[in-house]
Amino acid sequence: EVPWCRTMGFLNPYIDPFETFISKEIPDFDYQAFKKYTDHNFVYDKLWVTKSQGLLGGQLKNLKQNDNIKLPIFIKPRWGHETATSKNCFKIKSWEELENYKHIPDMMWSEFIDAKEQMTDYILLNGQIVYQITYMYSESQNEFIDEWKYISPENKPIPSITEWVNMNMSDFTGAVNVQYRSDKIIEVGLRLARGGAYILSTKNKV
């Protein structure tokens, strides 16, 4: 990626400097945020996030065919601070297929949400949302990866997503990254998307 960006003359947000910087008080990575925010790192338990919305879900190792769970379901690693990208994330359409993944530790399952993914970064001060930036994903995707994201002040998060943040992060100060499909949250992190590169790219110095 580094040689390619240099050859094409593209800004690489991971190595090229911006004019404005984000304070290092805000963690760049989930494992850093998990250690820093011990009172709020429960959001890295994706099974807790699932059940906090009243959705069906559980530990994959405990799931049995006679549990009357309708397929398809979605499986993924349970702990958000221990994983990255979309490794071991799968839509499961048959019980036979599911057996291929039960040996992987700390996996969970949840309802499959058939909707396009979106994402919002919130900035909170003592539990009050003071800023938000919402990313609209491309309709076309490569597996779970979008081809582009659209950033605009006109983009607004779904109200129920904001309500969840207000309810569950009521005394938090810092960044909250929320990924969701339709009005269902699939993952939460206590850092900005891409280490804040999207926010820096707006060139808003205020």
Side-chain angles (χ1 to χ4, degrees):
E1 163 175 298
V2 172
W4 184 81
C5 286
R6 286 175 176 166
T7 299
M8 300 299 293
F10 294 153
L11 174 75
N12 186 322
Y14 297 106
I15 62 172
D16 295 331
F18 288 94
E19 292 182 14
T20 305
F21 296 91
I22 294 174
S23 169
K24 285 304 178 182
E25 289 298 310
I26 300 178
D28 291 326
F29 303 102
D30 286 314
Y31 72 89
Q32 296 171 335
F34 184 86
K35 291 181 179 179
K36 180 180 178 68
Y37 301 119
T38 55
D39 290 340
H40 298 87
N41 62 13
F42 55 84
V43 299
Y44 282 105
D45 182 352
K46 287 182 270 190
L47 181 54
W48 179 87
V49 171
T50 294
K51 293 190 172 182
S52 74
Q53 303 168 86
L55 301 175
L56 295 177
Q59 296 184 65
L60 185 60
K61 64 181 180 181
N62 297 333
L63 183 61
K64 299 179 177 60
Q65 186 169 351
N66 59 8
D67 287 340
N68 295 319
I69 302 299
K70 293 181 62 176
L71 301 180
I73 58 173
F74 197 78
I75 65 171
K76 57 188 175 183
R78 176 175 177 176
W79 303 102
H81 65 291
E82 296 180 352
T83 56
T85 67
S86 298
K87 182 179 180 180
N88 290 330
C89 295
F90 301 102
K91 177 183 178 181
I92 301 297
K93 301 177 182 178
S94 71
W95 292 102
E96 292 76 17
E97 182 183 4
L98 188 64
E99 293 303 317
N100 296 325
Y101 306 103
K102 279 196 169 182
H103 68 282
I104 304 174
D106 293 326
M107 291 285 286
M108 62 162 285
W109 68 271
S110 65
E111 300 177 35
F112 177 72
I113 303 166
D114 189 12
K116 186 176 70 171
E117 187 170 329
Q118 290 181 241
M119 179 169 60
T120 298
D121 278 332
Y122 295 92
I123 305 288
L124 278 72
L125 177 62
N126 297 322
Q128 298 297 311
I129 296 171
V130 296
Y131 179 83
Q132 72 83 21
I133 181 170
T134 295
Y135 312 95
M136 307 295 290
Y137 286 40
S138 58
E139 291 290 345
S140 53
Q141 294 189 325
N142 296 311
E143 297 296 334
F144 303 113
I145 307 301
D146 52 286
E147 295 184 354
W148 49 261
K149 292 181 179 69
Y150 175 65
I151 305 171
S152 166
E154 302 301 318
N155 294 352
K156 303 298 181 186
I158 296 172
S160 61
I161 303 300
T162 300
E163 290 172 9
W164 187 96
V165 173
N166 285 330
M167 179 180 299
N168 293 285
M169 309 300 293
S170 59
D171 57 349
F172 180 71
T173 294
V176 180
N177 174 265
V178 185
Q179 300 174 51
Y180 47 98
R181 292 179 180 270
S182 183
D183 61 347
K184 304 296 188 296
I185 297 171
I186 57 176
E187 191 166 344
V188 180
L190 303 180
R191 45 78 187 164
L192 297 168
R194 294 286 184 178
Y198 292 130
I199 290 180
L200 290 170
S201 70
T202 66
K203 298 181 180 181
N204 182 357
K205 299 179 182 181
V206 180

